Amino acid sequence: MAETTVDDAFVEFERVQKSYDGETLVVKDLNLKMPRGEFLTMLGPSGSGKTTCLMMLAGFETATHGDIRLGGTSINNIPPHKRGIGMVFQNYALFPHMTIAENLSFPLEVRKMGKSEREQKVQRALDMVEMGSFGGRRPAQLSGGQQQRVALARALVFEPELVLMDEPLGALDKQLREKMQFEITDLAHRLGITTVYVTHDQTEALTMSDRVAVFDDGRIQQLAAPDQLYEEPENSFVAQFIGENNTLEGTVKEINNGLALVELDDGELIDCKPINVSQPGERTRVSIRPERIEYNKDRLREGVHTLKAEVLEFIYMGDIFRTRLRVAGKDEFIIKTRNAPDQQRLQPGQQIEIGWLPEDCRALDA
Ligand SMILES: Nc1ncnc2c1ncn2[C@@H]1O[C@H](COP(=O)(O)OP(=O)(O)OP(=O)(O)O)[C@@H](O)[C@H]1O
Ligand SMILES: [Mg+2]
């Protein structure tokens, strides 16, 4: 998915910028192409510009610069209700004075649909989210999760090609959230709906999406499939933001045959894959995942550089061991080791040597 060049993009942002006050850009240069049927998540810290992007796509905000296209047509001058977009927001805002069925019927009435067809579609949408027998109730008579399902049904009832969801599960408990995550992606895929989903929960983003756009500071830092984001972060922001990660700082000594030799600040040498570095002398932040680190010598490839480490904490977690180490002067170096019969358990105070495959270690921006 990540490698596809999206030629006939359904949703397209081209060089989009947004400023609310005419001075600061909260969206700096957004370029994004989504094929029809894709489930894309915008993930990023608070204030990074996710909702603003969604609002521009929905038509509630206009871009300060650039172009937004839907099905190849620029939508900058099309008002929100003519864009045919279904929306679910965190404060679902069902109309409190209407029944559930009336809530769902409303977007169809707006579209001038006849009564019997309306009733049919409303029932089908409610059945889809397993709320078929709740049509006569009012929103206040439903639980939070049920209201959320109704909001989802209302966004889908007029069969939009595009659905936007902004933190739709934020208010729900963990169990219901996980159930709804599955229901949403299942529905979207079954109905072939193109979805833009916003969250700051990385697990949610990784489990639900075809692709994830990681936002920071008004820019997409990386746009890729979940596994690629985790395995091949393109910069240190993404490496830190997605999953657990260890970092060490150093200076590039040499780059040869696609491998960088990095001298850490305490003088030790490690091998890594050069991602954002190209010259000796450059500063770098080296990134490595906890589960890619070995301390069992038999499992290390010959010739790779190893590092000295002191065990600070060893936690037995059943399927894995989680160990905190002091490495190169840092106390927060985490390794995760699969619990296997030949895997040694460690003791606090113990001195060990750790290593990894150079390709699992990425030399990123400093
Ligand atoms: N209506 C507005 N007027 C002025 N500034 C705004 C407005 N809406 C958002 N901003 C600012 O724009 C920036 C991006 O906000 P946005 O709501 O897009 O972030 P977000 O990524 O959705 O954050 P969160 O995860 O907290 O919802 C923030 O600095 C915010 O303060
Ligand atoms: Mg937001």
PDB file of all heavy atoms in Angstrom, residues 13 49 51 73 94-95 133 147 197 231 251 264 271 279 314 341 360 364:
ATOM      1  N   PHE A  13      -4.805  16.340  -1.248  1.00  0.00           N
ATOM      2  CA  PHE A  13      -4.358  17.642  -0.734  1.00  0.00           C
ATOM      3  C   PHE A  13      -3.100  17.991  -1.507  1.00  0.00           C
ATOM      4  O   PHE A  13      -2.179  17.186  -1.565  1.00  0.00           O
ATOM      5  CB  PHE A  13      -3.970  17.559   0.753  1.00  0.00           C
ATOM      6  CG  PHE A  13      -5.127  17.472   1.714  1.00  0.00           C
ATOM      7  CD1 PHE A  13      -5.795  16.281   1.916  1.00  0.00           C
ATOM      8  CD2 PHE A  13      -5.522  18.585   2.456  1.00  0.00           C
ATOM      9  CE1 PHE A  13      -6.846  16.185   2.832  1.00  0.00           C
ATOM     10  CE2 PHE A  13      -6.567  18.503   3.371  1.00  0.00           C
ATOM     11  CZ  PHE A  13      -7.230  17.301   3.548  1.00  0.00           C
ATOM     12  N   GLY A  49      -2.375  19.702  14.012  1.00  0.00           N
ATOM     13  CA  GLY A  49      -3.075  20.127  12.792  1.00  0.00           C
ATOM     14  C   GLY A  49      -4.039  19.107  12.199  1.00  0.00           C
ATOM     15  O   GLY A  49      -4.572  19.316  11.109  1.00  0.00           O
ATOM     16  N   THR A  51      -7.203  17.968  13.195  1.00  0.00           N
ATOM     17  CA  THR A  51      -8.598  18.402  13.064  1.00  0.00           C
ATOM     18  C   THR A  51      -8.727  19.490  12.004  1.00  0.00           C
ATOM     19  O   THR A  51      -9.669  19.496  11.213  1.00  0.00           O
ATOM     20  CB  THR A  51      -9.119  18.897  14.429  1.00  0.00           C
ATOM     21  OG1 THR A  51      -9.117  17.795  15.330  1.00  0.00           O
ATOM     22  CG2 THR A  51     -10.530  19.449  14.320  1.00  0.00           C
ATOM     23  N   THR A  73     -11.916  16.749  -8.644  1.00  0.00           N
ATOM     24  CA  THR A  73     -12.482  18.102  -8.745  1.00  0.00           C
ATOM     25  C   THR A  73     -12.129  18.923  -7.518  1.00  0.00           C
ATOM     26  O   THR A  73     -12.285  18.455  -6.391  1.00  0.00           O
ATOM     27  CB  THR A  73     -14.023  18.034  -8.837  1.00  0.00           C
ATOM     28  OG1 THR A  73     -14.370  17.053  -9.813  1.00  0.00           O
ATOM     29  CG2 THR A  73     -14.611  19.372  -9.224  1.00  0.00           C
ATOM     30  N   LEU A  94     -25.813  14.049  18.530  1.00  0.00           N
ATOM     31  CA  LEU A  94     -27.091  13.637  17.954  1.00  0.00           C
ATOM     32  C   LEU A  94     -28.092  14.710  18.375  1.00  0.00           C
ATOM     33  O   LEU A  94     -27.940  15.318  19.433  1.00  0.00           O
ATOM     34  CB  LEU A  94     -27.505  12.269  18.519  1.00  0.00           C
ATOM     35  CG  LEU A  94     -26.597  11.095  18.154  1.00  0.00           C
ATOM     36  CD1 LEU A  94     -26.983   9.859  18.947  1.00  0.00           C
ATOM     37  CD2 LEU A  94     -26.629  10.816  16.667  1.00  0.00           C
ATOM     38  N   PHE A  95     -29.125  14.932  17.576  1.00  0.00           N
ATOM     39  CA  PHE A  95     -30.127  15.918  17.980  1.00  0.00           C
ATOM     40  C   PHE A  95     -30.918  15.355  19.148  1.00  0.00           C
ATOM     41  O   PHE A  95     -31.578  14.333  19.010  1.00  0.00           O
ATOM     42  CB  PHE A  95     -31.048  16.257  16.808  1.00  0.00           C
ATOM     43  CG  PHE A  95     -30.318  16.799  15.609  1.00  0.00           C
ATOM     44  CD1 PHE A  95     -30.347  16.123  14.397  1.00  0.00           C
ATOM     45  CD2 PHE A  95     -29.580  17.980  15.701  1.00  0.00           C
ATOM     46  CE1 PHE A  95     -29.659  16.622  13.295  1.00  0.00           C
ATOM     47  CE2 PHE A  95     -28.899  18.477  14.597  1.00  0.00           C
ATOM     48  CZ  PHE A  95     -28.935  17.789  13.390  1.00  0.00           C
ATOM     49  N   SER A 133     -33.333  -2.170  17.058  1.00  0.00           N
ATOM     50  CA  SER A 133     -34.558  -2.069  17.856  1.00  0.00           C
ATOM     51  C   SER A 133     -34.605  -0.790  18.700  1.00  0.00           C
ATOM     52  O   SER A 133     -35.439  -0.647  19.577  1.00  0.00           O
ATOM     53  CB  SER A 133     -34.663  -3.298  18.765  1.00  0.00           C
ATOM     54  OG  SER A 133     -33.525  -3.374  19.580  1.00  0.00           O
ATOM     55  N   GLN A 147     -24.792   5.518  21.639  1.00  0.00           N
ATOM     56  CA  GLN A 147     -24.889   6.807  20.938  1.00  0.00           C
ATOM     57  C   GLN A 147     -23.823   6.899  19.847  1.00  0.00           C
ATOM     58  O   GLN A 147     -24.061   7.411  18.763  1.00  0.00           O
ATOM     59  CB  GLN A 147     -24.701   7.964  21.924  1.00  0.00           C
ATOM     60  CG  GLN A 147     -25.864   8.110  22.890  1.00  0.00           C
ATOM     61  CD  GLN A 147     -25.676   9.316  23.812  1.00  0.00           C
ATOM     62  OE1 GLN A 147     -25.188  10.355  23.407  1.00  0.00           O
ATOM     63  NE2 GLN A 147     -26.072   9.153  25.055  1.00  0.00           N
ATOM     64  N   TYR A 197      -9.508   9.069   9.293  1.00  0.00           N
ATOM     65  CA  TYR A 197      -9.746   8.845  10.706  1.00  0.00           C
ATOM     66  C   TYR A 197      -8.685   9.600  11.498  1.00  0.00           C
ATOM     67  O   TYR A 197      -7.505   9.542  11.153  1.00  0.00           O
ATOM     68  CB  TYR A 197      -9.617   7.336  10.953  1.00  0.00           C
ATOM     69  CG  TYR A 197     -10.087   6.846  12.304  1.00  0.00           C
ATOM     70  CD1 TYR A 197     -11.390   6.400  12.472  1.00  0.00           C
ATOM     71  CD2 TYR A 197      -9.215   6.802  13.389  1.00  0.00           C
ATOM     72  CE1 TYR A 197     -11.826   5.925  13.705  1.00  0.00           C
ATOM     73  CE2 TYR A 197      -9.648   6.341  14.625  1.00  0.00           C
ATOM     74  CZ  TYR A 197     -10.955   5.899  14.772  1.00  0.00           C
ATOM     75  OH  TYR A 197     -11.389   5.435  15.981  1.00  0.00           O
ATOM     76  N   GLU A 231       8.777  -0.341  11.489  1.00  0.00           N
ATOM     77  CA  GLU A 231      10.073  -0.949  11.150  1.00  0.00           C
ATOM     78  C   GLU A 231      11.031   0.036  10.495  1.00  0.00           C
ATOM     79  O   GLU A 231      12.235  -0.104  10.621  1.00  0.00           O
ATOM     80  CB  GLU A 231       9.882  -2.118  10.167  1.00  0.00           C
ATOM     81  CG  GLU A 231       8.773  -3.070  10.539  1.00  0.00           C
ATOM     82  CD  GLU A 231       9.267  -4.347  11.170  1.00  0.00           C
ATOM     83  OE1 GLU A 231      10.481  -4.579  11.137  1.00  0.00           O
ATOM     84  OE2 GLU A 231       8.415  -5.075  11.704  1.00  0.00           O
ATOM     85  N   THR A 251      28.343  10.473  16.637  1.00  0.00           N
ATOM     86  CA  THR A 251      28.846  11.135  15.435  1.00  0.00           C
ATOM     87  C   THR A 251      29.251  10.079  14.414  1.00  0.00           C
ATOM     88  O   THR A 251      29.869   9.070  14.774  1.00  0.00           O
ATOM     89  CB  THR A 251      30.089  11.985  15.783  1.00  0.00           C
ATOM     90  OG1 THR A 251      29.728  12.876  16.844  1.00  0.00           O
ATOM     91  CG2 THR A 251      30.563  12.801  14.596  1.00  0.00           C
ATOM     92  N   LEU A 264      29.658   6.648  19.551  1.00  0.00           N
ATOM     93  CA  LEU A 264      28.775   7.209  20.570  1.00  0.00           C
ATOM     94  C   LEU A 264      29.546   8.208  21.417  1.00  0.00           C
ATOM     95  O   LEU A 264      30.776   8.224  21.413  1.00  0.00           O
ATOM     96  CB  LEU A 264      28.203   6.094  21.448  1.00  0.00           C
ATOM     97  CG  LEU A 264      27.375   5.043  20.699  1.00  0.00           C
ATOM     98  CD1 LEU A 264      26.865   3.969  21.664  1.00  0.00           C
ATOM     99  CD2 LEU A 264      26.209   5.687  19.965  1.00  0.00           C
ATOM    100  N   ASP A 271      27.488  -0.197  14.616  1.00  0.00           N
ATOM    101  CA  ASP A 271      27.172  -0.206  13.179  1.00  0.00           C
ATOM    102  C   ASP A 271      25.690   0.037  12.996  1.00  0.00           C
ATOM    103  O   ASP A 271      24.882  -0.549  13.714  1.00  0.00           O
ATOM    104  CB  ASP A 271      27.488  -1.582  12.576  1.00  0.00           C
ATOM    105  CG  ASP A 271      28.888  -2.043  12.928  1.00  0.00           C
ATOM    106  OD1 ASP A 271      29.831  -1.488  12.369  1.00  0.00           O
ATOM    107  OD2 ASP A 271      29.012  -2.953  13.789  1.00  0.00           O
ATOM    108  N   GLN A 279      27.423  11.790   5.641  1.00  0.00           N
ATOM    109  CA  GLN A 279      28.829  12.219   5.691  1.00  0.00           C
ATOM    110  C   GLN A 279      29.461  11.920   7.046  1.00  0.00           C
ATOM    111  O   GLN A 279      28.789  12.099   8.073  1.00  0.00           O
ATOM    112  CB  GLN A 279      28.916  13.757   5.577  1.00  0.00           C
ATOM    113  CG  GLN A 279      28.170  14.387   4.482  1.00  0.00           C
ATOM    114  CD  GLN A 279      28.999  14.447   3.219  1.00  0.00           C
ATOM    115  OE1 GLN A 279      30.198  14.150   3.252  1.00  0.00           O
ATOM    116  NE2 GLN A 279      28.384  14.813   2.128  1.00  0.00           N
ATOM    117  N   PHE A 314      15.177  -6.165  35.985  1.00  0.00           N
ATOM    118  CA  PHE A 314      14.793  -7.297  35.131  1.00  0.00           C
ATOM    119  C   PHE A 314      13.375  -7.703  35.486  1.00  0.00           C
ATOM    120  O   PHE A 314      13.086  -8.028  36.635  1.00  0.00           O
ATOM    121  CB  PHE A 314      15.752  -8.470  35.359  1.00  0.00           C
ATOM    122  CG  PHE A 314      15.408  -9.695  34.552  1.00  0.00           C
ATOM    123  CD1 PHE A 314      15.842  -9.832  33.233  1.00  0.00           C
ATOM    124  CD2 PHE A 314      14.652 -10.718  35.112  1.00  0.00           C
ATOM    125  CE1 PHE A 314      15.512 -10.956  32.492  1.00  0.00           C
ATOM    126  CE2 PHE A 314      14.324 -11.856  34.373  1.00  0.00           C
ATOM    127  CZ  PHE A 314      14.747 -11.968  33.058  1.00  0.00           C
ATOM    128  N   PRO A 341      13.799 -21.417  26.321  1.00  0.00           N
ATOM    129  CA  PRO A 341      14.526 -22.264  27.275  1.00  0.00           C
ATOM    130  C   PRO A 341      16.004 -21.900  27.414  1.00  0.00           C
ATOM    131  O   PRO A 341      16.560 -21.974  28.510  1.00  0.00           O
ATOM    132  CB  PRO A 341      14.370 -23.666  26.681  1.00  0.00           C
ATOM    133  CG  PRO A 341      13.149 -23.592  25.832  1.00  0.00           C
ATOM    134  CD  PRO A 341      13.064 -22.202  25.321  1.00  0.00           C
ATOM    135  N   ASP A 360      19.042  -3.426  11.876  1.00  0.00           N
ATOM    136  CA  ASP A 360      17.961  -3.122  12.818  1.00  0.00           C
ATOM    137  C   ASP A 360      18.184  -1.806  13.572  1.00  0.00           C
ATOM    138  O   ASP A 360      17.424  -1.443  14.459  1.00  0.00           O
ATOM    139  CB  ASP A 360      17.808  -4.239  13.851  1.00  0.00           C
ATOM    140  CG  ASP A 360      17.173  -5.470  13.243  1.00  0.00           C
ATOM    141  OD1 ASP A 360      16.443  -5.321  12.239  1.00  0.00           O
ATOM    142  OD2 ASP A 360      17.391  -6.573  13.765  1.00  0.00           O
ATOM    143  N   LEU A 364      19.451   8.246  12.447  1.00  0.00           N
ATOM    144  CA  LEU A 364      18.480   9.256  12.022  1.00  0.00           C
ATOM    145  C   LEU A 364      19.014  10.659  12.259  1.00  0.00           C
ATOM    146  O   LEU A 364      20.160  10.836  12.686  1.00  0.00           O
ATOM    147  CB  LEU A 364      17.168   9.044  12.794  1.00  0.00           C
ATOM    148  CG  LEU A 364      16.531   7.657  12.626  1.00  0.00           C
ATOM    149  CD1 LEU A 364      15.395   7.447  13.618  1.00  0.00           C
ATOM    150  CD2 LEU A 364      16.022   7.451  11.219  1.00  0.00           C
TER     151      LEU A 364
END
